[in-house]
Amino acid sequence: MVQLVGPLRKELADSLSTCKVLVVGAGGIGCELLKNLVLTGFKNIEVIDLDTIDVSNLNRQFLFQKKHVGKSKAQVAKESALTFCPTANITAYHDSIMNPDYNTEFFRQFILVMNALDNRAARNHVNRMCLAADIPLIESGTAGYLGQVTVIKKGLTECYECQPKPTQKTFPGCTIRNTPSEPIHCIVWAKYLFNQLFGEEDADQEVSPDTADPEAAWNPEDTAARATASEKDGDIKRVSTKEWARSTGYDSVKLFHKLFKDDIRYLLTMDKLWKKRKAPTPLDWHQLRNSGPKDESVGSGLKDQQILSVWGLCKMFQHSVETLRTMLQEKGEGAELVWDKDDAPAMDFVTAAANLRMYIFSMNTKSRFDVKSMAGNIIPAIATTNAIIAGLIVLESLKILSGELESCRTIFLNKCPSLRKKLLVPCILDLPCANCYVCASKPEVTVKLNVHKATVLCLQDRILKERFGMVAPDVQIEDGKGTILISSEEGETDANNHKFLADFGIRNGSRLQIDDFLQDYTLLVNVLHTEELERDVEFEVVGEAPDKAPPPQPNKEEVNSVTNGNKDSAQPSTSSKAPADDDDDIMVVESDEEGASSSSAAAAAAPSSATKRRHSDAETGESSSKRLRMDQSGAAAAPTDDDEDDIIALD
């Protein structure tokens, strides 16, 4: 007769009480997950999160209270979870999982890793560390009503990077408020600003500098102090952006100076943010009026497709503020406006504000037409979605601990029921992609660039770190001499940074051997020289595998060759059951706080260009091999009615 401990078999219950697991992220999904784990019987848990608690977190991250604002999420989550199970052993780290201290040996101490992350870079990193340590990883993500959970196991399933991901559409608040690096960041900020000034105010849509940005203050006490200070400046009670704007009569020049001069100057005092970034440049209305060019547009063409000069943007900002102020007054006291991209004054306001911010942060400005096409729908974080996904993570973890990896599934949570009237749609895990540049036995890619224009710094930062997610790459040229192009040792090859690749004899057909010892990851890069890249495009990755003749049949030596993270991992390490997908926010959607994970995630949220995802959902724009199989079998998940071009998930 089977012995039970509560609802679990005794053997499984004993396993839960002794195994050690890692939770990466203590936000929306992380809070629910931590609570679920201790109540299920997990006793040895480590949780890591770099973030601090913001007021806007309190509506869904229930382990936090107002008194915790400014404190470490990981530490407070630990303390709150212990109230559910005081006998649990929980260790909290207020740190980045990408810190070199958390190396392969650190990961090997766990029997299982569970991601509750908010960005693709961290997901890529944890994926590689789990592959290197040969530890099962459960990925997860949410975006509004959508969610996904998947399991990743080396040699058995797709890894997080087996399928290409769409451009990230979710961004942390500190990126929007403090360190925008892409035009979409500025457009989101401008839409938030519209609501703060003219619409319904939302704590999740704050636009002022984020004083509790964890990157600006690495000391938890400093972060907490800043968060507290942000609520009160001495004895001066801070008022909302809307209240302040009303007190000025919506004076466009005063608004301009507050948003584009004073706030930017304040950001400059957060000097840690600008050690590795180009600092923003404040704007002054009067200086621009007196010295700036008076031509309001640059170039010709249709009005909406013209790029406005800085002064032209200033005039558009002024005119749109005055028009919106009049519209607000006509609606009466306490009225609110609703942003609509088809409403001319609202669209003008967002275009002007977004472009002025782009200019301040040294980005190329966009036409009104471009801004309108990028300004999509914003999906709010929903607490119940996080709760469902966290529960599914625990269920998958129980399968893994029971030794039933073959029964694990990728599970989609959909907004509308499937044809079988199910909101939860399980899919069999996909096998590893043979051409994956991360988990293949010999990872290899081809990069197309102009060797006479591409610098070593571009190769390091834009290609290896940003595109391929490396942390500390070492680069050696396969030129017969073993020339070291980039070293992860600080300062060792800095003199090479601004030299062109051609200066080192790199040309069409050259091969670069890349090693990231932190991630226990190697990659061979084939250089394809071209002078025909589009304007402002520095490089292109040719497919997901190099352009070359079909590889020869492997010989015995190749079969036994070293794979990333393991010398004998060319063969599956456990059963034959297949594997997972990923993407971001929704696992295959990239999101802000509880991002997502695998290739099938594309089915849950965002478009993907992978070959196996050529079948695309007409309404969601998503495509995935798993969704395709489900469609063919008649058990497809219903479309999700997200028909906007840009989906920005806040959790």
Side-chain angles (χ1 to χ4, degrees):
M1 184 175 179
V2 178
Q3 286 184 292
L4 297 178
V5 177
L8 304 176
R9 287 181 290 103
K10 185 177 185 303
E11 297 83 354
L12 180 56
D14 291 342
S15 178
L16 297 190
S17 65
T18 57
C19 73
K20 194 173 184 180
V21 299
L22 174 65
V23 175
V24 188
I29 290 178
C31 281
E32 292 282 353
L33 178 57
L34 208 53
K35 176 262 297 180
N36 288 350
L37 290 174
V38 296
L39 292 179
T40 304
F42 286 84
K43 298 293 186 183
N44 298 290
I45 305 167
E46 297 195 9
V47 58
I48 182 169
D49 196 308
L50 173 63
D51 207 358
T52 53
I53 300 164
D54 187 77
V55 174
S56 62
N57 302 146
L58 304 182
N59 68 343
R60 62 191 180 280
Q61 299 174 22
F62 75 99
L63 294 183
F64 309 142
Q65 300 174 31
K66 191 171 183 180
K67 64 182 180 182
H68 297 137
V69 169
K71 295 182 179 180
S72 161
K73 283 187 175 181
Q75 187 61 39
V76 175
K78 165 192 168 179
E79 295 166 0
S80 299
L82 286 174
T83 63
F84 292 94
C85 181
T87 59
N89 177 26
I90 304 177
T91 303
Y93 302 92
H94 178 69
D95 204 351
S96 167
I97 192 62
M98 298 176 74
N99 187 315
D101 291 340
Y102 309 111
N103 54 23
T104 307
E105 291 306 312
F106 172 81
F107 277 83
R108 284 196 179 118
Q109 65 182 305
F110 303 105
I111 196 168
L112 177 64
V113 176
M114 305 174 204
N115 266 356
L117 281 163
D118 63 357
N119 67 88
R120 185 179 299 171
R123 284 193 178 88
N124 289 345
H125 181 71
V126 174
N127 173 63
R128 296 177 188 190
M129 298 308 293
C130 287
L131 289 172
D134 200 7
I135 300 298
L137 169 65
I138 302 180
E139 256 294 358
S140 63
T142 62
Y145 293 101
L146 303 176
Q148 180 183 348
V149 173
T150 197
V151 174
I152 296 170
K153 181 66 173 75
K154 181 176 183 175
L156 298 180
T157 75
E158 275 188 345
C159 79
Y160 179 75
E161 298 169 84
C162 270
Q163 299 296 340
K165 305 294 186 298
T167 302
Q168 183 174 0
K169 298 175 186 292
T170 301
F171 316 101
C174 55
T175 299
I176 300 297
R177 295 164 63 181
N178 291 0
T179 55
S181 58
E182 301 174 20
I184 187 63
H185 298 160
C186 299
I187 293 170
V188 172
W189 178 87
K191 289 182 66 178
Y192 286 177
L193 178 62
F194 178 90
N195 287 333
Q196 293 291 328
L197 291 175
F198 307 107
E200 181 180 357
E201 293 181 279
D202 186 334
D204 278 327
Q205 299 184 0
E206 181 57 63
V207 294
S208 298
D210 183 1
T211 57
D213 188 336
E215 190 181 348
W218 285 77
N219 186 302
E221 289 74 23
D222 291 348
T223 304
R226 264 187 199 178
T228 304
S230 69
E231 297 298 315
K232 52 186 179 183
D233 295 332
D235 295 327
I236 301 173
K237 181 181 178 182
R238 299 194 69 182
V239 298
S240 72
T241 304
K242 182 179 287 186
E243 289 177 25
W244 177 82
R246 283 175 177 166
S247 71
T248 69
Y250 284 97
D251 185 298
S252 57
V253 177
K254 289 182 178 179
L255 282 174
F256 182 95
H257 279 149
K258 193 269 182 195
L259 297 166
F260 306 117
K261 181 180 178 181
D262 299 340
D263 281 358
I264 302 304
R265 283 180 172 175
Y266 185 83
L267 278 177
L268 291 172
T269 67
M270 302 164 74
D271 53 356
K272 285 189 178 181
L273 293 176
W274 316 115
K275 286 186 176 180
K276 296 183 180 180
R277 297 184 179 92
K278 184 174 181 179
T281 305
L283 297 178
D284 184 281
W285 177 278
H286 304 297
Q287 288 181 359
L288 291 170
R289 182 185 59 188
N290 296 333
S291 61
K294 295 303 179 284
D295 291 336
E296 294 192 6
S297 64
V298 179
S300 58
L302 298 175
K303 184 178 179 181
D304 270 11
Q305 296 182 10
Q306 292 178 352
I307 303 294
L308 297 183
S309 67
V310 179
W311 181 245
L313 294 169
C314 293
K315 296 296 289 181
M316 177 184 276
F317 179 82
Q318 181 181 47
H319 183 262
S320 61
V321 168
E322 291 171 352
T323 304
L324 292 167
R325 175 185 63 194
T326 302
M327 293 169 62
L328 205 56
Q329 290 172 344
E330 290 174 352
K331 283 180 170 284
E333 186 67 27
E336 295 173 344
L337 301 180
V338 178
W339 188 83
D340 185 339
K341 63 183 179 182
D342 294 319
D343 180 58
M347 193 64 240
D348 285 346
F349 176 84
V350 168
T351 299
N355 273 304
L356 287 167
R357 192 162 172 88
M358 289 179 216
Y359 183 84
I360 287 168
F361 284 90
S362 304
M363 297 177 222
N364 293 329
T365 54
K366 299 288 183 181
S367 68
R368 188 180 186 276
F369 177 84
D370 290 334
V371 173
K372 184 175 182 179
S373 68
M374 295 172 72
N377 190 32
I378 295 177
I379 301 177
I382 298 175
T384 48
T385 306
N386 292 338
I388 293 169
I389 293 303
L392 292 171
I393 294 172
V394 175
L395 291 178
E396 293 303 303
S397 71
L398 295 179
K399 296 178 188 177
I400 294 172
L401 294 174
S402 298
E404 300 173 0
L405 196 60
E406 68 278 359
S407 64
C408 290
R409 296 289 182 268
T410 291
I411 305 171
F412 296 105
L413 170 62
N414 290 323
K415 184 177 180 180
C416 302
S418 67
L419 297 179
R420 293 181 178 175
K421 304 196 182 302
K422 303 290 185 181
L423 285 176
L424 293 175
V425 180
C427 301
I428 292 176
L429 300 173
D430 285 332
L431 292 169
C433 175
N435 292 326
C436 177
Y437 63 79
V438 174
C439 68
S441 60
K442 292 185 176 181
E444 186 174 351
V445 293
T446 294
V447 176
K448 184 189 295 185
L449 48 72
N450 188 329
V451 297
H452 302 293
K453 293 183 178 180
T455 63
V456 173
L457 189 63
C458 171
L459 172 67
Q460 175 184 276
D461 292 348
R462 296 276 291 113
I463 300 177
L464 300 182
K465 290 185 177 180
E466 186 176 320
R467 175 61 180 82
F468 293 118
M470 295 187 180
V471 178
D474 291 286
V475 181
Q476 179 177 314
I477 306 172
E478 289 194 352
D479 55 1
K481 296 179 287 186
T483 304
I484 303 298
L485 188 64
I486 297 171
S487 172
S488 57
E489 295 295 328
E490 188 173 354
E492 197 168 285
T493 54
D494 284 357
N496 296 345
N497 284 351
H498 299 291
K499 295 180 180 179
F500 298 110
L501 298 184
D503 296 338
F504 297 89
I506 296 174
R507 53 194 175 84
N508 190 53
S510 292
R511 290 156 67 91
L512 308 177
Q513 184 68 42
I514 324 293
D515 292 288
D516 190 321
F517 291 105
L518 174 61
Q519 297 180 337
D520 200 1
Y521 173 50
T522 63
L523 178 67
L524 182 64
V525 174
N526 297 292
V527 176
L528 185 63
H529 172 68
T530 181
E531 297 182 0
E532 299 178 354
L533 292 173
E534 295 181 13
R535 183 181 177 185
D536 297 328
V537 174
E538 295 174 297
F539 68 94
E540 290 179 1
V541 177
V542 181
E544 288 303 298
D547 275 352
K548 58 182 181 180
Q553 292 299 315
N555 56 33
K556 291 183 179 179
E557 283 188 330
E558 289 174 309
V559 170
N560 294 324
S561 64
V562 176
T563 307
N564 280 326
N566 197 355
K567 294 185 179 180
D568 57 4
S569 57
Q571 301 300 322
S573 56
T574 42
S575 80
S576 61
K577 221 39 177 183
D581 277 72
D582 332 331
D583 250 336
D584 277 341
D585 231 21
I586 227 189
M587 255 182 133
V588 133
V589 163
E590 287 271 13
S591 177
D592 163 276
E593 186 164 18
E594 0 302 347
S597 75
S598 70
S599 68
S600 18
S608 170
S609 60
T611 303
K612 63 193 294 182
R613 283 184 179 68
R614 285 177 184 164
H615 179 275
S616 176
D617 189 302
E619 286 192 286
T620 64
E622 306 156 1
S623 43
S624 116
S625 58
K626 292 178 181 166
R627 178 62 62 90
L628 177 56
R629 288 200 295 271
M630 295 299 293
D631 287 345
Q632 291 171 339
S633 66
T640 64
D641 20 292
D642 297 316
D643 55 4
E644 296 287 352
D645 293 330
D646 264 297
I647 295 179
I648 299 169
L650 298 181
D651 229 0

